[in-house]
Amino acid sequence: MTASIADLAGQRPPFASLLRQLRQARRLSQLGLSLESEVAQRHISFLESGRARPGRDVVLKLSRALDLSLRATNGLLHAAGLPAEAAETPIDDPSLGLARDALRLLLARIDPNPAIVVDPAWTVHDFNQGAGRLIAEIARPDALLRASAGRAGPNLIALLEDEAGLRVPMPDRAEVLAHLRGEPLAAPGGNGQPFLPARFTTAAGPLSFLTILGGLGGPRDVTLQELRVEIFFPADDATRTWLAGG
């Protein structure tokens, strides 16, 4: 008699455990996931118990229903022993030249307001002249980056923990999580506003900003989907005067 997909110790295979974990994280029942994905509840039950093997179409339906990122979708496919859905192209690869040029144009249009491009490990990949000027004024040059990571902490932690649960390697993920958990995290803006406060001590005096973090719309590459642009808007007259060059 051959063993089932689940191993002889009764443990769920990787895909089964991961699917159950993701479904529960989204607070969906098997019936709820079935309705969202149009995959039969019985089949989802068999997948989570290890009694059925997932096909690619089913995994992609479940991924869309669970609202997974491209990286997370790749991880779910990998757990099922299937090829990735999206490439993860190095940011400096020539094929991403058009995307880099578009981001650079966006940064230039945002000037003189500071703006930076970062990834989930909070590596700065580009910044505009306004951000360069602000960095030069800050007593500790890393304060801009640390403040950004701290303010975005709750959302970024959720993103990274989703990815970490998929066992998809990413350099420094554990360090980023530890760093964010070890730093005071600012509460979200009042009244559900998407802006978060940022205040810096600079050679020109205190500067106050409201910041917003945004991503690219609909990219089909893991690297591009994970890039974020943080824009710093002046929050008081002194900061507006400084940005205007006064």
Side-chain angles (χ1 to χ4, degrees):
M1 180 177 178
T2 58
S4 65
I5 297 173
D7 63 32
L8 295 176
Q11 299 296 316
R12 290 185 177 88
F15 177 85
S17 299
L18 183 54
L19 177 59
R20 183 170 183 269
Q21 173 188 338
L22 290 169
R23 175 179 62 76
Q24 291 178 338
R26 299 303 190 268
R27 298 184 178 181
L28 286 171
S29 64
Q30 289 183 349
L31 176 59
L33 181 56
S34 174
L35 293 173
E36 291 288 339
S37 65
E38 299 183 350
V39 175
Q41 180 183 357
R42 180 180 177 85
H43 190 49
I44 292 174
S45 176
F46 279 14
L47 290 173
E48 290 191 2
S49 66
R51 295 172 63 190
R53 292 185 183 277
R56 185 178 186 83
D57 288 347
V58 167
V59 175
L60 293 178
K61 284 183 178 180
L62 294 171
S63 173
R64 287 191 290 270
L66 292 166
D67 195 25
L68 299 183
S69 66
L70 293 179
R71 180 181 293 280
T73 298
N74 282 352
L76 194 59
L77 286 164
H78 177 75
L82 298 168
E85 171 70 1
E88 184 177 357
T89 310
I91 188 61
D92 57 354
D93 190 277
S95 66
L96 296 188
L98 184 60
R100 291 195 303 273
D101 289 345
L103 284 169
R104 199 161 293 121
L105 178 61
L106 174 63
L107 293 177
R109 292 290 179 87
I110 293 169
D111 260 326
N113 293 326
I116 57 176
V117 178
V118 295
D119 62 22
W122 228 258
T123 300
V124 177
H125 291 283
D126 207 349
F127 57 90
N128 63 5
Q129 292 182 9
R133 185 173 169 228
L134 178 58
I135 292 169
E137 290 281 0
I138 296 173
R140 288 181 53 200
D142 67 340
L144 177 65
L145 187 57
R146 286 182 174 273
S148 298
R151 288 190 308 282
N155 291 332
L156 190 62
I157 285 176
L159 170 67
L160 293 173
E161 285 183 333
D162 270 353
E163 294 163 358
L166 296 176
R167 306 289 191 268
V168 181
M170 173 187 280
D172 303 325
R173 177 191 283 112
E175 292 182 15
V176 172
L177 285 170
H179 168 71
L180 290 176
R181 285 199 178 103
E183 298 253 342
L185 300 179
N191 301 319
Q193 295 301 314
F195 294 93
L196 296 173
R199 185 177 175 85
F200 303 103
T201 300
T202 76
L207 298 176
S208 297
F209 297 88
L210 294 175
T211 79
I212 190 168
L213 197 67
L216 302 177
R220 297 305 303 164
D221 186 279
V222 173
T223 300
L224 292 181
Q225 187 183 67
E226 292 180 342
L227 289 179
R228 297 290 181 268
V229 178
E230 183 167 25
I231 306 172
F232 295 73
F233 297 97
D236 58 24
D237 289 339
T239 304
R240 276 187 284 273
T241 299
W242 179 82
L243 282 176

